[in-house]
Amino acid sequence: MKKIVSGIKPTGSLTLGNYLGAIKQFVKLQEERKEDEFYLFIADLHAITTRQTPHELRNRTLDIAAMYIASGLDKDRTTMFIQSEVLQHAELGYILQSNVYMGELERMTQYKDKVAKGEESIASSLFTYPALMAADILLYDADYVPVGDDQKQHLELTRDIANRFNHYYNDFFTVPEPIIPEVGARIMDLQDPYKKMSKSSDNPKGYITMFDEENMIKKKIRSAKTDSLGVIKYDPINQTGLANLLNIYASATDTNVEEIVLKYKVSNYKTFKEDLGQVLVDLLIPIQERYQDLIKSDSLQEILNQGRDRASDYAFKKMRKCKRKVGLGRK
Ligand code: AMP
Ligand code: TRP
């Protein structure tokens, strides 16, 4: 049995991109790996590395938890919890800060990008963020960590930190490996298919949120940018917008792009878009209904309580050993 651990930062509302790129992948992984144990947490401590409005942060934390369950996560096989409710994350994060070097943190692209953009008032926690992320993973002795491409570098640093710690204090942490999805990894903006679909886009027609109503979903797909060539084929260079819609269709229906192209070869954009709109409605509306039931229910609270207790139990024991290794506190 392997242990799989992942976290999601509750910043920005959920879009179809988050669903196809992260949530659905996680649920699929769980279906494929029946023998394994899953830990999934909402990384609210990571969220405050940039300014958050308190009530929005709290609502989004619950939204994400509910959305994962509504999307088919097996709650009985997942320890799902809120990061800040398991105190050892911050505690181990601090210890790992003492095992990572300034030079290593300075090389992280996510941090470098912020600096390059000339952003002022960057919180110091944004700089040390990878040490906390390493703690999230090493605390549970994760074997595998499913993440998007952008997190690969943080995971490599996590491995370096684990190896360094193991070397100095004698084997203690499991050195984790990443799992990076091949498809559905990049859903693009519907109006500007050269940029990633994201809620922070200026044009709301460019993204579909997980909360959009039926007509809104159909309307956004109908008005998605395509081209004037009028032939349905997969050509990301010359038919970038259409290629994105084909990817969305394939990812949403668990098929591959070739099959979709074959199906619509003799069709036109209008029919293809109508069908895609319907595919997404059939996919998202039932999730939304389950979400609505969950968000007000005691069962979501119970899942999070149980997750917190189970995770805390493991984390407490691991930390007690860790402090002993490092020489902190009394025997
Ligand atoms: P973010 O909302 O950017 O913090 O991302 C949360 C998760 O959703 C990460 O695993 C991302 O890789 C994934 N994600 C976000 N936007 C997209 C997108 N447009 N296409 C695919 N995956 C996405
Ligand atoms: N840093 C990740 C992100 O921004 C979220 C995250 C925090 C995470 N801790 C983690 C992911 C541990 C995997 C494992 O998306």
Side-chain angles (χ1 to χ4, degrees):
M1 190 188 66
K2 298 287 185 194
K3 204 181 271 177
I4 299 178
V5 177
S6 195
I8 340 113
K9 213 166 43 170
T11 50
S13 294
L14 292 167
T15 68
L16 180 69
N18 295 126
Y19 174 76
L20 296 176
I23 304 182
K24 193 164 188 277
Q25 306 282 351
F26 195 88
V27 173
K28 207 161 103 194
L29 195 67
Q30 196 175 40
E31 281 162 8
E32 285 163 8
R33 306 181 71 108
K34 294 263 186 264
E35 303 300 314
D36 294 342
E37 201 181 340
F38 287 80
Y39 280 65
L40 180 67
F41 62 91
I42 323 297
D44 56 349
L45 290 175
H46 285 275
I48 61 165
T49 53
T50 55
R51 249 319 153 223
Q52 304 295 324
T53 308
H55 73 272
E56 283 176 9
L57 174 59
R58 184 161 293 138
N59 289 342
R60 268 200 306 263
T61 299
L62 286 178
D63 271 355
I64 292 179
M67 209 45 106
Y68 265 87
I69 298 169
S71 303
L73 187 84
D74 183 346
K75 58 183 174 34
D76 299 325
R77 287 178 53 225
T78 316
T79 300
M80 178 148 112
F81 62 98
I82 299 171
Q83 183 189 28
S84 65
E85 294 185 358
V86 179
L87 310 181
Q88 288 79 6
H89 286 249
E91 196 178 13
L92 181 58
Y94 176 76
I95 293 177
L96 297 184
Q97 272 184 47
S98 309
N99 287 279
V100 66
Y101 304 125
M102 299 286 284
E104 288 173 314
L105 296 172
E106 275 160 8
R107 279 197 290 278
M108 296 294 110
T109 25
Q110 202 166 315
Y111 167 75
K112 278 203 302 200
D113 285 352
K114 282 246 159 121
V115 175
K117 273 194 210 149
E119 278 188 39
E120 281 174 29
S121 319
I122 298 177
S124 62
S125 60
L126 190 88
F127 182 65
T128 56
Y129 175 121
L132 180 60
M133 178 156 165
D136 300 336
I137 297 166
L138 302 181
L139 190 53
Y140 300 101
D141 291 306
D143 297 289
Y144 296 110
V145 183
V147 281
D149 211 34
D150 57 334
Q151 296 299 317
K152 219 162 118 184
Q153 201 187 24
H154 292 153
L155 213 70
E156 271 155 25
L157 186 56
T158 299
R159 289 168 57 87
D160 291 345
I161 295 174
N163 281 321
R164 179 173 302 147
F165 193 100
N166 286 349
H167 187 72
Y168 192 77
Y169 296 105
N170 288 330
D171 274 359
F172 185 64
F173 290 124
T174 302
V175 182
E177 297 202 22
I179 299 183
I180 312 227
E182 324 92 72
V183 283
R186 245 177 119 71
I187 302 300
M188 310 309 279
D189 190 284
L190 299 174
Q191 293 300 321
D192 176 3
Y194 296 97
K195 65 174 203 217
K196 213 169 96 164
M197 180 184 284
S198 157
K199 184 75 202 292
S200 53
S201 160
D202 305 330
N203 187 351
K205 282 160 99 185
Y207 55 83
I208 289 177
T209 83
M210 290 303 286
F211 303 98
D212 281 350
E213 290 172 359
E214 176 163 351
N215 286 336
M216 183 66 88
I217 297 170
K218 290 183 171 165
K219 212 162 105 189
K220 286 179 180 173
I221 292 295
R222 232 176 262 137
S223 65
K225 196 155 176 271
T226 45
D227 52 74
S228 54
L229 297 174
V231 234
I232 296 191
K233 81 182 181 352
Y234 187 68
D235 181 353
I237 307 279
N238 300 307
Q239 294 175 271
T240 316
L242 181 67
N244 183 40
L245 296 181
L246 286 165
N247 274 327
I248 293 175
Y249 199 126
S251 177
T253 53
D254 284 321
T255 43
N256 53 46
V257 167
E258 293 78 45
E259 276 179 65
I260 314 294
V261 170
L262 207 64
K263 183 169 170 194
Y264 290 96
K265 225 178 146 104
V266 291
S267 187
N268 53 44
Y269 290 178
K270 186 163 176 290
T271 312
F272 169 69
K273 283 176 160 181
E274 286 303 318
D275 286 4
L276 176 56
Q278 192 59 47
V279 159
L280 293 178
V281 165
D282 292 344
L283 178 74
L284 299 183
I285 301 299
I287 296 178
Q288 290 178 7
E289 287 167 1
R290 285 194 291 272
Y291 163 88
Q292 288 302 343
D293 288 340
L294 271 163
I295 197 76
K296 321 178 274 248
S297 75
D298 292 339
S299 83
L300 178 66
Q301 297 297 329
E302 276 159 28
I303 291 165
L304 292 170
N305 287 344
Q306 208 183 54
R308 175 200 59 209
D309 294 347
R310 258 195 267 168
S312 295
D313 207 38
Y314 195 92
F316 176 79
K317 290 182 191 137
K318 187 77 185 170
M319 261 329 275
R320 196 170 51 194
K321 287 189 213 145
C322 178
K323 283 158 88 172
R324 215 176 282 149
K325 282 257 178 204
V326 179
L328 296 170
R330 285 177 287 174
K331 259 215 156 145

Short mmCIF file of all heavy atoms in Angstrom, two decimals, residues 5-9 41 43 46 83 110 129 132-134 136-137 145-148 150-151 154-155, ligand 2:
data_model
loop_
_atom_site.label_atom_id
_atom_site.label_comp_id
_atom_site.label_asym_id
_atom_site.label_seq_id
_atom_site.Cartn_x
_atom_site.Cartn_y
_atom_site.Cartn_z
N VAL A 5 -0.40 11.88 -1.23
CA VAL A 5 -0.76 13.12 -0.52
C VAL A 5 -0.78 14.29 -1.49
O VAL A 5 0.12 14.44 -2.31
CB VAL A 5 0.29 13.41 0.60
CG1 VAL A 5 -0.01 14.74 1.29
CG2 VAL A 5 0.34 12.29 1.63
N SER A 6 -1.83 15.11 -1.40
CA SER A 6 -1.82 16.33 -2.21
C SER A 6 -2.60 17.43 -1.52
O SER A 6 -3.41 17.18 -0.63
CB SER A 6 -2.40 16.07 -3.60
OG SER A 6 -2.06 17.14 -4.44
N GLY A 7 -2.32 18.67 -1.95
CA GLY A 7 -2.99 19.82 -1.35
C GLY A 7 -3.44 20.79 -2.43
O GLY A 7 -2.87 20.80 -3.51
N ILE A 8 -4.47 21.55 -2.11
CA ILE A 8 -4.93 22.58 -3.06
C ILE A 8 -5.08 23.87 -2.28
O ILE A 8 -5.64 23.89 -1.19
CB ILE A 8 -6.32 22.31 -3.67
CG1 ILE A 8 -6.69 20.84 -3.53
CG2 ILE A 8 -6.42 22.78 -5.10
CD1 ILE A 8 -7.83 20.66 -2.60
N LYS A 9 -4.60 24.93 -2.92
CA LYS A 9 -4.62 26.24 -2.27
C LYS A 9 -5.98 26.90 -2.52
O LYS A 9 -6.39 27.03 -3.66
CB LYS A 9 -3.51 27.08 -2.91
CG LYS A 9 -2.86 28.04 -1.98
CD LYS A 9 -1.59 28.60 -2.54
CE LYS A 9 -1.69 28.98 -4.00
NZ LYS A 9 -0.55 29.72 -4.50
N PHE A 41 -5.61 17.71 1.43
CA PHE A 41 -5.93 18.81 2.35
C PHE A 41 -6.09 20.12 1.60
O PHE A 41 -5.58 20.31 0.50
CB PHE A 41 -4.85 18.95 3.43
CG PHE A 41 -3.50 19.27 2.86
CD1 PHE A 41 -3.10 20.60 2.71
CD2 PHE A 41 -2.65 18.26 2.45
CE1 PHE A 41 -1.87 20.90 2.17
CE2 PHE A 41 -1.42 18.57 1.90
CZ PHE A 41 -1.03 19.89 1.76
N ALA A 43 -5.09 23.78 1.48
CA ALA A 43 -3.88 24.44 1.99
C ALA A 43 -4.16 25.91 2.33
O ALA A 43 -3.68 26.83 1.67
CB ALA A 43 -2.76 24.31 0.96
N HIS A 46 -1.13 28.10 3.07
CA HIS A 46 -0.44 28.56 1.87
C HIS A 46 -1.17 29.76 1.26
O HIS A 46 -0.54 30.64 0.67
CB HIS A 46 -0.35 27.45 0.83
CG HIS A 46 0.68 26.42 1.16
ND1 HIS A 46 1.99 26.58 0.84
CD2 HIS A 46 0.58 25.23 1.78
CE1 HIS A 46 2.67 25.51 1.26
NE2 HIS A 46 1.83 24.69 1.85
N GLN A 83 -5.66 22.22 6.29
CA GLN A 83 -4.24 22.26 6.72
C GLN A 83 -4.06 22.93 8.09
O GLN A 83 -3.38 22.41 8.96
CB GLN A 83 -3.43 23.00 5.65
CG GLN A 83 -1.94 23.07 5.90
CD GLN A 83 -1.27 24.00 4.89
OE1 GLN A 83 -1.89 24.94 4.40
NE2 GLN A 83 -0.02 23.73 4.59
N GLN A 110 8.33 30.25 -9.00
CA GLN A 110 7.13 30.94 -8.54
C GLN A 110 7.49 32.23 -7.78
O GLN A 110 6.87 33.27 -7.97
CB GLN A 110 6.32 30.01 -7.65
CG GLN A 110 4.86 30.38 -7.55
CD GLN A 110 4.04 29.24 -6.95
OE1 GLN A 110 4.17 28.08 -7.30
NE2 GLN A 110 3.19 29.59 -6.03
N TYR A 129 7.66 29.42 1.61
CA TYR A 129 6.57 28.52 1.21
C TYR A 129 7.02 27.09 0.88
O TYR A 129 6.40 26.12 1.35
CB TYR A 129 5.92 29.21 0.02
CG TYR A 129 4.83 28.58 -0.77
CD1 TYR A 129 3.59 29.24 -0.86
CD2 TYR A 129 4.98 27.41 -1.48
CE1 TYR A 129 2.58 28.73 -1.63
CE2 TYR A 129 3.97 26.88 -2.24
CZ TYR A 129 2.76 27.55 -2.31
OH TYR A 129 1.75 27.03 -3.07
N LEU A 132 7.22 24.84 3.88
CA LEU A 132 5.91 24.42 4.41
C LEU A 132 5.33 23.32 3.51
O LEU A 132 4.78 22.34 4.00
CB LEU A 132 4.96 25.62 4.50
CG LEU A 132 3.55 25.31 5.03
CD1 LEU A 132 3.59 24.75 6.44
CD2 LEU A 132 2.67 26.56 5.00
N MET A 133 5.50 23.50 2.21
CA MET A 133 4.99 22.47 1.29
C MET A 133 5.72 21.14 1.52
O MET A 133 5.10 20.08 1.50
CB MET A 133 5.16 22.95 -0.15
CG MET A 133 4.71 21.93 -1.16
SD MET A 133 4.25 22.69 -2.73
CE MET A 133 4.24 21.24 -3.78
N ALA A 134 7.03 21.21 1.77
CA ALA A 134 7.78 19.99 2.06
C ALA A 134 7.23 19.34 3.34
O ALA A 134 7.06 18.12 3.43
CB ALA A 134 9.27 20.31 2.22
N ASP A 136 4.18 19.55 4.50
CA ASP A 136 2.86 18.95 4.20
C ASP A 136 3.02 17.52 3.70
O ASP A 136 2.18 16.66 3.94
CB ASP A 136 2.17 19.72 3.05
CG ASP A 136 1.91 21.18 3.38
OD1 ASP A 136 1.84 21.51 4.57
OD2 ASP A 136 1.78 21.97 2.42
N ILE A 137 4.07 17.31 2.96
CA ILE A 137 4.28 16.02 2.30
C ILE A 137 5.04 15.04 3.21
O ILE A 137 4.63 13.90 3.40
CB ILE A 137 5.08 16.25 0.99
CG1 ILE A 137 4.25 17.13 0.04
CG2 ILE A 137 5.47 14.93 0.34
CD1 ILE A 137 5.04 17.69 -1.13
N VAL A 145 2.99 12.19 -4.89
CA VAL A 145 2.32 13.47 -4.77
C VAL A 145 1.82 13.93 -6.15
O VAL A 145 2.62 14.32 -7.00
CB VAL A 145 3.28 14.55 -4.20
CG1 VAL A 145 2.56 15.88 -4.00
CG2 VAL A 145 3.90 14.09 -2.89
N PRO A 146 0.50 13.84 -6.40
CA PRO A 146 -0.01 14.33 -7.68
C PRO A 146 -0.06 15.86 -7.69
O PRO A 146 -0.67 16.45 -6.80
CB PRO A 146 -1.43 13.74 -7.76
CG PRO A 146 -1.77 13.24 -6.40
CD PRO A 146 -0.54 13.23 -5.55
N VAL A 147 0.61 16.46 -8.65
CA VAL A 147 0.63 17.93 -8.75
C VAL A 147 0.64 18.35 -10.22
O VAL A 147 0.96 17.55 -11.10
CB VAL A 147 1.89 18.55 -8.11
CG1 VAL A 147 1.78 18.64 -6.62
CG2 VAL A 147 3.16 17.82 -8.51
N GLY A 148 0.30 19.60 -10.45
CA GLY A 148 0.41 20.16 -11.79
C GLY A 148 1.89 20.43 -12.09
O GLY A 148 2.73 20.45 -11.19
N ASP A 150 3.45 23.04 -12.72
CA ASP A 150 4.04 24.20 -12.06
C ASP A 150 4.60 23.89 -10.67
O ASP A 150 5.36 24.68 -10.11
CB ASP A 150 3.01 25.34 -11.99
CG ASP A 150 1.73 24.92 -11.28
OD1 ASP A 150 1.41 23.72 -11.28
OD2 ASP A 150 1.05 25.80 -10.72
N GLN A 151 4.22 22.74 -10.12
CA GLN A 151 4.68 22.42 -8.76
C GLN A 151 5.86 21.45 -8.74
O GLN A 151 6.33 21.04 -7.69
CB GLN A 151 3.52 21.81 -7.95
CG GLN A 151 2.37 22.75 -7.73
CD GLN A 151 2.79 23.98 -6.95
OE1 GLN A 151 3.54 23.89 -5.98
NE2 GLN A 151 2.33 25.14 -7.39
N HIS A 154 8.93 22.57 -6.78
CA HIS A 154 8.76 22.51 -5.32
C HIS A 154 8.92 21.08 -4.82
O HIS A 154 9.40 20.84 -3.72
CB HIS A 154 7.39 23.05 -4.91
CG HIS A 154 7.26 24.52 -5.13
ND1 HIS A 154 6.05 25.13 -5.35
CD2 HIS A 154 8.19 25.50 -5.17
CE1 HIS A 154 6.24 26.43 -5.51
NE2 HIS A 154 7.53 26.68 -5.41
N LEU A 155 8.48 20.15 -5.65
CA LEU A 155 8.59 18.76 -5.25
C LEU A 155 10.03 18.27 -5.28
O LEU A 155 10.45 17.48 -4.43
CB LEU A 155 7.71 17.90 -6.15
CG LEU A 155 7.16 16.75 -5.34
CD1 LEU A 155 6.15 17.23 -4.34
CD2 LEU A 155 6.59 15.70 -6.21
N1 TRP B 2 1.65 24.54 -3.63
C1 TRP B 2 0.52 23.87 -4.22
C2 TRP B 2 -0.18 24.79 -5.23
O1 TRP B 2 0.03 25.97 -5.21
C3 TRP B 2 -0.47 23.46 -3.15
C4 TRP B 2 0.18 22.59 -2.14
C5 TRP B 2 0.56 22.95 -0.88
C6 TRP B 2 0.53 21.22 -2.28
N2 TRP B 2 1.08 21.91 -0.22
C7 TRP B 2 1.11 20.84 -1.05
C8 TRP B 2 0.42 20.31 -3.32
C9 TRP B 2 1.59 19.54 -0.84
C10 TRP B 2 0.90 19.00 -3.11
C11 TRP B 2 1.47 18.63 -1.89
O2 TRP B 2 -0.96 24.32 -6.05
#
